[in-house]
Amino acid sequence: MPISKSDKNLSPADQGEINVQESLSHRDQRHIWHPLTQHKISKEMLAIVKARGSILYDENGKEYIDGIASWYTCMYGHCNPDITGKVAAQMQQLDQVVFSGFTHEPAVKLSEALIPLLPANQEKLFFSDNGSTATEIGVKMALQYHHNLGNDRKVMLAFEDGFHGDTFGAMSVSGLSVYNGPFEEHFIEVVRIPVPTGKNNEQVLRKLESLLKEHKIAGFIYEPLVQGAAAMKMHDAEGLNEILKLCKRHEVICVADEVMTGFGKTGKNFASEYLSVQPDVMCLSKALTAGLLPMAITSCSQKVYDGFYSDEIAKGLFHGHTYSANPLACTAALAGIELLTSKAIQQDIQRVIASHRNFKNKIKDHPKVKNIRTLGVIIAFELDVKMERYGDMRNRLYKYFMDSGVFLRPLGNTIYILAPFTISASELEKIYASIEAVLVEF
Amino acid sequence: MPISKSDKNLSPADQGEINVQESLSHRDQRHIWHPLTQHKISKEMLAIVKARGSILYDENGKEYIDGIASWYTCMYGHCNPDITGKVAAQMQQLDQVVFSGFTHEPAVKLSEALIPLLPANQEKLFFSDNGSTATEIGVKMALQYHHNLGNDRKVMLAFEDGFHGDTFGAMSVSGLSVYNGPFEEHFIEVVRIPVPTGKNNEQVLRKLESLLKEHKIAGFIYEPLVQGAAAMKMHDAEGLNEILKLCKRHEVICVADEVMTGFGKTGKNFASEYLSVQPDVMCLSKALTAGLLPMAITSCSQKVYDGFYSDEIAKGLFHGHTYSANPLACTAALAGIELLTSKAIQQDIQRVIASHRNFKNKIKDHPKVKNIRTLGVIIAFELDVKMERYGDMRNRLYKYFMDSGVFLRPLGNTIYILAPFTISASELEKIYASIEAVLVEF
């Protein structure tokens, strides 16, 4: 039984007393419903009380190396003073202001720093608060662009096994929808193609051609080169280029979801830089704000923007969130970009890439290592042992890593590392050692 | 023509030089696409460089009283050191950690402070990042609750002119959908009732009865007592009670969207406290984080939670955002609740209520003042002069206030005040004076 109902009737004094004696993990169970969690099966959440660099500290003093950079966000390390100092200063100056009718320096400076970093055709930034809203806005840009032009196009194209978020629009385009059952009847119409593997490129293009004939496709949303939630599945750049070319030829708005891949993780600033065909729209979040607080940006080309620029008010994009372009989040993002483009971080990225390459060579022929792959600071492989995505075996694997002081979060039988760029060589070695131990123990 | 394309080809030196000479308002136009804005009509955004208490300062040194608390967020004043100090300290300790499998003190403490403040039946908190995601989660809770119970209910009920956000699920339930044209075909099925006015209560109930017979309704989402985006339209508490009773009798999950009304603005902590029937689910954001940074919470009763609590993983709510329950945002929220429940702020609220009451009495019989209404610190009336919501007249009105050093944001011909609780008497007087001047000038 979850502890919850009863305690509300305790006197405040009793409750205070309980709180002093109880662990955070236990107190947590009273009133918090965690994301992506079936609480009857996962009762206890680990309480983290401190984070510094690549290390998380739990309430019992145990340390964990943050091997996935807290969901690919804190790429410059936790509580990095180069970032927190600037945000603390901004908090003294301007905390928040409506972003309709107003602007502010952190947003302007961020736009001036981010635009030169993005593919050359990206010209405008539309702010929101998380990856789901960034992709919702991308989908709305694609649909309304054609609506504004008088084109009858209402279908979205997406990859099988793509993941783009959890709001209704974002769920619609996600192909990875194990748990979307209760909502599927309410989705936008989406048609799908497999990712290009290099081997199937021609078939994928043939399928796309027939879909383009059968459906009135407004936009194509895709995670370029790496599908994160699909367990760091990587696909073929040349195949993706051909898909994008065909889409562009048919005036399909190409929306690159770089929420996971953005900001240096693939070894380039954005995965789209590996491609010769530039996206019309890009979705950014996660590492955008350097792991400090939530924000997202949907960028677009002048062509997309011009599709909304009109004397008719109704042709504008009437989307807005209260804290859009929050000055603190913009400040964190600007500090993050300054770090990303610094010599030190660029050297860190190359160091991690080289380190992963060595580790890959070391384990690639191990009988339990299947399909090992790297791109930038991402390294992933399938543990060749039968298990289900959220099954007991996966949970034992997770526990094994945590017991070893390493926070890795296997996706089914896929083990991957996506650590902060600033992770030290010895911390990386500890992660590798825990993986090698798994290859023995499992 | 928007200035954008050309400047990208300037050398960095040229760009640097331009930046030094240019105003922020002008630099803003190059790369930023603002929310809810048709840029061809609204070219120039006002650059705010500083905020303190109830005052915004623009880049030319002009001051504006923030008469809408930056969209009802910074109710304790801008850059309040009681809040910023705590967030700055938290930034040194723990910036961010995955909230699946982990927890942390700011979230636990926030849950322990917030639950006792909410209606007695609210037991669990589900975190997200903004009002749209809070309502998406509310809708998903209603739909999946019935799905998990094996009930075939897929229709949502909502008020005409309700507003619940801009993502696809949130747009679906919003009745106020002037600019939803390009997306409407993709919406969840929603049936609607008018708000109860006191005069139409019986008709509304009859309509609801017939809708309940004709449709398989899973949930009812409503802004209790005040519909913000519908221009601070207020409705009848007794009528709403009757609607909620009827919904509950039919096992319809009642989702109170208190994103705007929450945290003291109505004179009680939550508008739902004016009602005898408690909601099953509540959506919170905006003032939740005291105007510092984005966060949202969807709370629910034990009954709703239990509908997801199961040995079956698939019956869980598989929704999650990367920065869910961000420790900095939780810290801001906790600081905000401490202020809200302080004697000083409670006195401020009563002071503003009394002040508004006097002002209402002063202008209520003016021939241009129509339908003046107050609830808590909200005061609104219609300027009885013909104009359109986003028309030229509304913009002249907006400009008139701004020229007077008062940031009010008329919704069509509705003028309203929703200032920080901490606004001073003289600042309030200045807002009132600007409204009285409008009654003369317009």
Side-chain angles (χ1 to χ4, degrees):
Chain A
M1 271 298 293
I3 50 160
S4 53
K5 267 177 166 161
S6 55
D7 302 330
K8 210 162 178 182
N9 301 320
L10 292 175
S11 74
D14 287 345
Q15 245 176 357
E17 206 175 325
I18 282 174
N19 291 351
V20 171
Q21 295 169 355
E22 269 187 309
S23 68
L24 285 168
S25 283
H26 200 243
R27 287 159 65 188
D28 172 86
Q29 293 169 54
R30 201 166 285 120
H31 297 303
I32 300 183
W33 187 348
H34 285 263
L36 313 172
T37 303
Q38 173 49 269
H39 279 281
K40 193 164 184 190
I41 294 166
S42 306
K43 283 191 206 297
E44 190 123 341
M45 304 289 129
L46 185 68
I48 300 299
V49 295
K50 185 178 147 183
R52 193 73 79 254
S54 307
I55 307 295
L56 301 169
Y57 302 81
D58 78 12
E59 64 179 326
N60 300 313
K62 187 167 162 62
E63 300 180 14
Y64 308 85
I65 300 171
D66 189 351
I68 66 158
S70 289
W71 271 338
Y72 339 134
T73 59
C74 58
M75 301 308 295
Y76 317 104
H78 283 280
C79 299
N80 185 321
D82 288 341
I83 303 164
T84 58
K86 287 171 185 165
V87 175
Q90 181 61 41
M91 257 188 318
Q92 305 292 322
Q93 183 65 24
L94 173 66
D95 44 3
Q96 171 62 24
V97 69
V98 168
F99 207 58
S100 291
F102 296 91
T103 191
H104 49 75
E105 190 171 41
V108 170
K109 280 189 166 176
L110 174 58
S111 73
E112 291 168 347
L114 180 55
I115 288 284
L117 227 58
L118 293 173
N121 69 334
Q122 298 296 297
E123 281 293 352
K124 296 289 178 180
L125 307 179
F126 195 100
F127 288 85
S128 67
D129 300 325
N130 60 37
S132 293
T133 56
T135 62
E136 292 258 342
I137 291 162
V139 170
K140 287 173 82 169
M141 283 181 180
L143 293 173
Q144 192 176 343
Y145 173 83
H146 285 292
H147 178 89
N148 284 354
L149 264 59
N151 302 334
D152 175 30
R153 297 198 187 200
K154 281 161 189 159
V155 178
M156 290 295 298
L157 171 71
F159 277 141
E160 291 166 5
D161 293 337
F163 177 75
H164 305 287
D166 288 337
T167 49
F168 277 88
M171 281 194 291
S172 299
V173 287
S174 296
L176 196 81
S177 56
V178 194
Y179 301 114
N180 281 350
F183 315 115
E184 275 170 1
E185 288 187 29
H186 308 292
F187 286 177
I188 297 168
E189 192 185 341
V190 177
V191 293
R192 296 187 189 282
I193 51 174
V195 293
T197 59
K199 290 175 192 158
N200 69 351
N201 290 11
E202 270 309 307
Q203 289 134 270
V204 174
L205 285 175
R206 294 299 79 78
K207 172 149 193 204
L208 176 54
E209 274 170 357
S210 73
L211 289 174
L212 286 164
K213 273 177 206 148
E214 290 160 33
H215 301 274
K216 292 169 174 174
I217 298 176
F220 168 46
I221 187 164
Y222 59 102
E223 295 159 281
L225 303 188
V226 191
Q227 294 178 299
M232 299 296 159
K233 205 169 152 185
M234 298 183 189
H235 57 262
D236 183 56
E238 209 30 64
L240 181 52
N241 268 327
E242 294 303 317
I243 291 167
L244 294 175
K245 272 183 210 163
L246 189 51
C247 283
K248 294 242 172 178
R249 212 174 304 143
H250 286 78
E251 291 288 329
V252 170
I253 298 294
C254 296
V255 181
D257 178 350
E258 295 232 23
V259 168
M260 195 283 288
T261 51
F263 299 97
K265 287 168 215 149
T266 63
K268 294 185 185 274
N269 289 332
F270 300 95
S272 292
E273 293 174 43
Y274 285 99
L275 302 163
S276 59
V277 187
Q278 295 177 336
D280 301 298
V281 173
M282 288 175 77
C283 306
L284 310 171
S285 191
K286 287 190 182 281
L288 165 65
T289 42
L292 212 68
L293 33 83
M295 188 168 76
I297 286 176
T298 309
S299 70
C300 71
S301 65
Q302 190 69 36
K303 173 184 141 180
V304 170
Y305 182 78
D306 287 345
F308 293 74
Y309 191 81
S310 162
D311 291 312
E312 283 177 61
I313 289 176
K315 287 195 170 172
L317 181 58
F318 280 80
H319 188 109
H321 301 291
T322 300
Y323 285 90
S324 282
N326 171 251
L328 310 187
C330 288
T331 301
L334 186 60
I337 288 175
E338 282 168 13
L339 286 169
L340 176 63
T341 54
S342 70
K343 199 171 164 187
I345 291 293
Q346 286 299 317
Q347 283 173 345
D348 279 334
I349 292 174
Q350 293 310 317
R351 179 178 55 82
V352 174
I353 289 173
S355 176
H356 282 352
R357 196 180 301 128
N358 288 341
F359 182 59
K360 181 183 168 187
N361 285 333
K362 189 173 177 191
I363 67 164
K364 70 181 187 335
D365 297 323
H366 191 286
K368 288 183 194 161
V369 173
K370 196 173 129 189
N371 195 20
I372 193 163
R373 55 208 181 264
T374 64
L375 186 68
V377 304
I378 309 168
I379 180 166
F381 69 91
E382 282 113 61
L383 185 67
D384 204 1
V385 170
K386 195 171 162 52
M387 61 170 75
E388 284 169 23
R389 182 165 176 127
Y390 292 98
D392 179 56
M393 183 73 153
R394 180 268 172 199
N395 292 342
R396 283 203 301 123
L397 195 53
Y398 177 78
K399 189 175 178 309
Y400 187 88
F401 284 123
M402 292 298 284
D403 288 345
S404 314
V406 171
F407 172 37
L408 291 182
R409 205 169 183 277
L411 294 162
N413 66 339
T414 300
I415 294 171
Y416 72 96
I417 310 173
L418 207 174
F421 301 139
T422 51
I423 190 168
S424 72
S426 65
E427 287 161 348
L428 265 178
E429 285 308 322
K430 195 172 167 192
I431 298 180
Y432 297 150
S434 74
I435 290 174
E436 288 180 284
V438 157
L439 296 178
V440 174
E441 297 290 328
F442 279 73
Chain B
M1 271 297 295
I3 51 158
S4 53
K5 266 177 167 162
S6 56
D7 302 330
K8 210 162 177 181
N9 302 320
L10 292 175
S11 75
D14 288 343
Q15 244 175 2
E17 204 174 325
I18 283 174
N19 290 350
V20 170
Q21 294 168 357
E22 268 186 309
S23 69
L24 284 168
S25 282
H26 200 242
R27 286 159 66 189
D28 172 86
Q29 293 170 54
R30 201 166 284 120
H31 297 304
I32 300 183
W33 186 349
H34 285 264
L36 313 172
T37 303
Q38 173 49 271
H39 279 281
K40 193 165 184 190
I41 294 165
S42 306
K43 282 190 205 299
E44 190 122 338
M45 303 290 129
L46 185 69
I48 300 298
V49 295
K50 185 178 147 184
R52 191 73 78 253
S54 307
I55 307 293
L56 302 170
Y57 301 82
D58 78 12
E59 63 179 326
N60 300 311
K62 187 168 163 59
E63 300 182 13
Y64 308 85
I65 300 172
D66 190 350
I68 67 160
S70 291
W71 271 338
Y72 338 134
T73 58
C74 59
M75 300 309 295
Y76 317 104
H78 283 281
C79 298
N80 185 322
D82 287 342
I83 304 164
T84 59
K86 287 170 184 165
V87 175
Q90 181 60 41
M91 259 190 314
Q92 306 292 321
Q93 184 65 23
L94 173 65
D95 44 3
Q96 171 62 23
V97 69
V98 168
F99 207 58
S100 291
F102 296 92
T103 191
H104 50 75
E105 191 171 41
V108 171
K109 280 190 166 175
L110 174 58
S111 73
E112 291 169 346
L114 180 56
I115 286 286
L117 226 58
L118 292 173
N121 69 335
Q122 298 297 297
E123 281 293 353
K124 296 288 178 181
L125 307 180
F126 195 100
F127 289 85
S128 66
D129 300 324
N130 60 38
S132 293
T133 57
T135 62
E136 291 258 342
I137 292 162
V139 170
K140 286 173 82 168
M141 283 182 180
L143 293 172
Q144 191 176 345
Y145 174 85
H146 285 292
H147 178 91
N148 284 355
L149 263 60
N151 302 335
D152 175 29
R153 297 197 188 200
K154 282 162 189 156
V155 178
M156 290 295 296
L157 171 71
F159 277 141
E160 291 167 5
D161 294 335
F163 176 76
H164 304 288
D166 288 338
T167 49
F168 276 88
M171 281 193 291
S172 299
V173 286
S174 295
L176 196 79
S177 56
V178 196
Y179 301 115
N180 281 349
F183 316 115
E184 274 170 1
E185 288 187 29
H186 309 293
F187 286 176
I188 297 168
E189 192 184 342
V190 177
V191 292
R192 298 188 188 282
I193 50 174
V195 293
T197 58
K199 289 174 193 159
N200 69 352
N201 291 10
E202 270 310 306
Q203 288 133 273
V204 174
L205 285 175
R206 294 299 81 77
K207 172 151 192 201
L208 176 54
E209 274 170 356
S210 74
L211 289 174
L212 286 164
K213 272 177 207 148
E214 290 160 32
H215 300 273
K216 292 169 174 174
I217 298 176
F220 169 45
I221 186 162
Y222 59 103
E223 294 159 280
L225 302 190
V226 191
Q227 293 179 299
M232 299 295 159
K233 206 168 151 184
M234 299 184 187
H235 56 260
D236 182 56
E238 210 29 65
L240 181 52
N241 268 327
E242 294 303 318
I243 291 167
L244 294 174
K245 272 183 210 163
L246 190 52
C247 283
K248 294 242 172 177
R249 213 174 301 141
H250 286 80
E251 290 288 329
V252 170
I253 298 296
C254 297
V255 181
D257 177 351
E258 295 232 22
V259 168
M260 194 283 287
T261 51
F263 300 97
K265 286 169 219 150
T266 63
K268 294 186 185 275
N269 288 332
F270 300 96
S272 291
E273 292 174 42
Y274 285 99
L275 302 163
S276 58
V277 187
Q278 296 176 336
D280 302 298
V281 173
M282 287 174 77
C283 307
L284 310 171
S285 191
K286 289 190 181 279
L288 165 65
T289 42
L292 212 68
L293 33 82
M295 187 167 77
I297 287 176
T298 309
S299 70
C300 70
S301 66
Q302 191 69 35
K303 172 185 142 180
V304 170
Y305 181 78
D306 287 346
F308 293 74
Y309 192 81
S310 163
D311 292 313
E312 284 178 61
I313 289 177
K315 287 196 171 170
L317 180 57
F318 280 81
H319 187 110
H321 301 289
T322 301
Y323 285 90
S324 283
N326 171 252
L328 310 187
C330 288
T331 301
L334 186 60
I337 288 175
E338 282 169 13
L339 285 169
L340 176 63
T341 54
S342 71
K343 201 173 163 188
I345 291 292
Q346 287 299 318
Q347 284 173 345
D348 279 333
I349 292 174
Q350 294 310 318
R351 178 177 54 81
V352 174
I353 290 173
S355 176
H356 282 351
R357 197 180 301 127
N358 288 341
F359 182 59
K360 181 182 167 187
N361 286 331
K362 189 172 176 192
I363 66 164
K364 70 179 185 335
D365 296 324
H366 191 287
K368 288 183 194 161
V369 172
K370 197 173 129 188
N371 195 20
I372 192 162
R373 54 207 182 265
T374 64
L375 186 67
V377 304
I378 309 169
I379 181 165
F381 69 91
E382 281 114 59
L383 184 67
D384 204 0
V385 170
K386 195 171 162 53
M387 62 170 76
E388 284 172 20
R389 183 167 175 123
Y390 291 99
D392 179 55
M393 183 74 154
R394 181 265 172 202
N395 292 342
R396 283 203 299 126
L397 195 53
Y398 177 78
K399 189 175 178 306
Y400 186 89
F401 284 123
M402 292 299 284
D403 288 346
S404 316
V406 171
F407 173 36
L408 291 182
R409 206 169 183 277
L411 295 162
N413 66 340
T414 299
I415 294 170
Y416 72 96
I417 310 173
L418 207 175
F421 301 140
T422 51
I423 190 168
S424 73
S426 65
E427 287 161 347
L428 266 178
E429 285 309 321
K430 195 173 168 191
I431 297 180
Y432 297 150
S434 74
I435 290 173
E436 288 181 283
V438 156
L439 295 179
V440 175
E441 298 289 329
F442 279 74

